[in-house]
Amino acid sequence: MTAVAHAPLRLVTCRQGCPADSRRAHHDRLLRVDRDPDALLELVELAVTWHELDYSHETLVPPSEWSGFVERHDWERPDRAGAAFMLALDIVHRGARRARPARSGPATMFDVVPG
């Protein structure tokens, strides 16, 4: 008699340096970005809110690691994964610029006219 154990199928796509700590669950969700619309939306939502919400107590792979994350993994759709993470990083960087405190003192022409 043969016994079959049902376990979730997990493809090994990591090349090196992936977290084995509490960030592993988020790591595994990020691995679905190229083929799961919900994972893609979650990434974009995280990028949009990165500078608005306090994620210091969350166990997440932070945006500072996303470029390396893309390079360290094999993707089903590498073009889609790369584009998703680059878009998310662009959103994070734009949010960082908006989150900077305003300068004190009178405004100059350089402050008023976007460059």
Side-chain angles (χ1 to χ4, degrees):
M1 178 191 286
T2 303
V4 176
H6 295 282
L9 178 63
R10 186 166 146 183
L11 300 175
V12 178
T13 62
C14 300
R15 293 183 190 146
Q16 62 186 354
C18 290
D21 57 10
S22 58
R23 298 182 307 157
R24 188 63 193 206
H26 186 238
H27 165 277
D28 290 349
R29 285 196 311 273
L30 289 176
L31 287 177
R32 297 192 306 261
V33 162
D34 66 329
R35 63 186 185 282
D36 180 353
D38 291 332
L40 177 60
L41 287 174
E42 183 180 318
L43 174 66
V44 171
E45 180 180 6
L46 180 61
V48 168
T49 61
W50 187 257
H51 294 290
E52 298 172 2
L53 302 177
D54 179 14
Y55 286 108
S56 61
H57 300 295
E58 301 291 329
T59 53
L60 303 172
V61 177
S64 60
E65 297 180 21
W66 290 350
S67 291
F69 186 88
V70 172
E71 294 171 6
R72 283 193 310 268
H73 295 88
D74 293 319
W75 300 93
E76 192 174 303
R77 300 280 309 269
D79 54 334
R80 183 181 292 169
F85 280 97
M86 293 308 109
L87 174 63
L89 280 170
D90 184 57
I91 292 168
V92 169
H93 292 307
R94 288 172 191 253
R97 286 194 297 267
R98 282 193 313 267
R100 280 188 229 150
R103 289 179 30 190
S104 61
T108 67
M109 183 59 93
F110 294 111
D111 295 326
V112 177
V113 178

